[in-house]
Amino acid sequence: MTGRELHLYFKYLHGSYNTLMFLLFCYQGCLGLLIRRRRMQGGAFPQVEVLRHRKAGPVLAVLGTLGFFVGLALVGVFGKGNLLEHPPHLFTGMVIVLLLGATYAVSRRIRGAELQPRELHFKMGLAILFFYSVEIFLGLGILL
C-alpha cells in the first residue's frame, strides 16, 4: 500500500470515527434532554439515565478530543505537513475541543437544584452538536 493510499484510508477512517462520535454525542444529548425534562416537570428522578449521562460524558469528551488530534496527525504526518491545509475544518475542530473541555468543567460545578450551571451545560451541549454538524459538512467537502 502506497503512502497516498494509506493517507486516503486514514482520511475515511477519521471521518467515520468522528461521525460515530457525533452520533454518540447525539445520544448523550438525548439522555440530557430526558433528564432535563424530568427535572423541569418534577417527575420521577431518572436515576439510570443520569448515571449513563455522567459516566459517558467524560469518556466522550476524551474520545472527541482524540479525534481532533488524530486529524492533526493525519495532516501533519501522512499529509503535506501543512496544518492549515483546511483552516475552517481545523478551527471548527478546535472550537469543539474547547467546548468539550468547558462543558466538562461546567458539569463538575452542577450541584443540587442550581440552575445556572445546568443551563450553561445545556447550551454548551447544543453548541457541541451544532459545531460537530458543521465539522461533518466541512469534512465531507474535503473527502468528496
Side-chain angles (χ1 to χ4, degrees), residues 24-35 37 53 129:
L24 290 171
F25 275 110
C26 286
Y27 173 72
Q28 182 77 342
C30 287
L31 284 177
L33 279 177
L34 185 134
I35 295 164
R37 280 193 192 119
H53 190 72
L129 292 177

Side-chain angles (χ1 to χ4, degrees), residues 85-106:
E85 187 175 348
H86 307 290
H89 191 66
L90 172 67
F91 293 122
T92 305
M94 288 174 146
V95 168
I96 291 169
V97 168
L98 291 173
L99 280 169
L100 289 173
T103 304
Y104 175 76
V106 167

